[in-house]
């Protein structure tokens, strides 16, 4: 399994979120739509080439900066232990994702949901061709 530097991902997401957002910029109180085939994807670890996980930022709330995004991985990968200042949720769309936190691991397939509170150390493992929201 590939290991990526999650701190690098967080840095990329923080810097790229407004610029890499798919579709029109978010406006408070306004509906939006996005089709998968029209999304803009950005390599998270460009030096991995075609094996790099990719991110598509769907929406950034203009007031809170809460971000909705998709992450897809072409190959199995391990996301090392890290934490965020904000709460984090995951909904598995394709493949299998295992989330480790609080000394336990929870495996989820399509439709599975995971919530991790702010500042909680956690890690993840993804199967080949996996997609999470």
């Amino acid at each position: 399994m590939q290991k990526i530097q999650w701190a690098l991902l967080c840095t990329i997401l923080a810097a790229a979120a407004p610029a890499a957002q798919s579709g029109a910029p978010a406006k408070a109180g306004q509906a939006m739509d996005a089709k998968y085939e029209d999304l803009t994807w950005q390599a998270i670890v460009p030096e991995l080439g075609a094996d790099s996980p990719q991110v598509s930022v769907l929406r950034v709330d203009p007031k809170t900066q809460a971000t909705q995004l998709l992450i897809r991985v072409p190959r199995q990968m391990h996301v090392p232990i890290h934490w965020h200042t904000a709460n984090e949720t995951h909904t598995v769309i394709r493949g299998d994702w295992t989330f480790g936190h609080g000394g336990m691991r929870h495996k989820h397939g399509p439709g599975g949901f995971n919530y991790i509170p702010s500042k909680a150390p956690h890690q993840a493992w993804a199967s080949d061709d996996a997609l999470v929201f």
Side-chain angles (χ1 to χ4, degrees):
M1 288 190 191
Q2 297 174 2
K3 286 191 176 188
I4 65 167
Q5 295 298 322
W6 204 246
L8 174 62
L9 169 63
C10 295
T11 301
I12 290 169
L13 291 177
Q21 187 170 325
S22 296
K27 294 182 182 175
Q30 188 173 36
M32 69 152 298
D33 295 275
K35 293 182 179 180
Y36 185 82
E37 60 270 15
D38 296 334
L39 297 178
T40 302
W41 293 92
Q42 180 177 0
I44 295 171
V45 186
E47 50 274 7
L48 292 178
D51 288 338
S52 176
Q54 297 179 326
V55 62
S56 180
V57 177
L58 303 172
R59 182 178 186 279
V60 178
D61 185 283
K63 289 184 181 178
T64 66
Q65 297 303 299
T67 304
Q68 287 87 36
L69 55 87
L70 291 170
I71 295 176
R72 65 183 182 187
V73 298
R75 306 262 184 262
Q76 288 183 4
M77 63 173 284
H78 171 232
V79 180
I81 293 177
H82 64 285
W83 58 273
H84 308 277
T85 56
N87 299 327
E88 184 174 7
T89 62
H90 306 96
T91 302
V92 177
I93 296 175
R94 184 175 64 226
D96 293 315
W97 288 79
T98 299
F99 301 98
H101 51 89
M104 299 176 65
R105 290 186 185 184
H106 306 274
K107 185 176 181 179
H108 298 284
F113 176 80
N114 170 269
Y115 166 81
I116 300 171
S118 68
K119 300 182 183 172
H122 59 282
Q123 58 188 320
W125 295 263
S127 68
D128 288 343
D129 194 31
L131 177 66
V132 69
F133 172 80

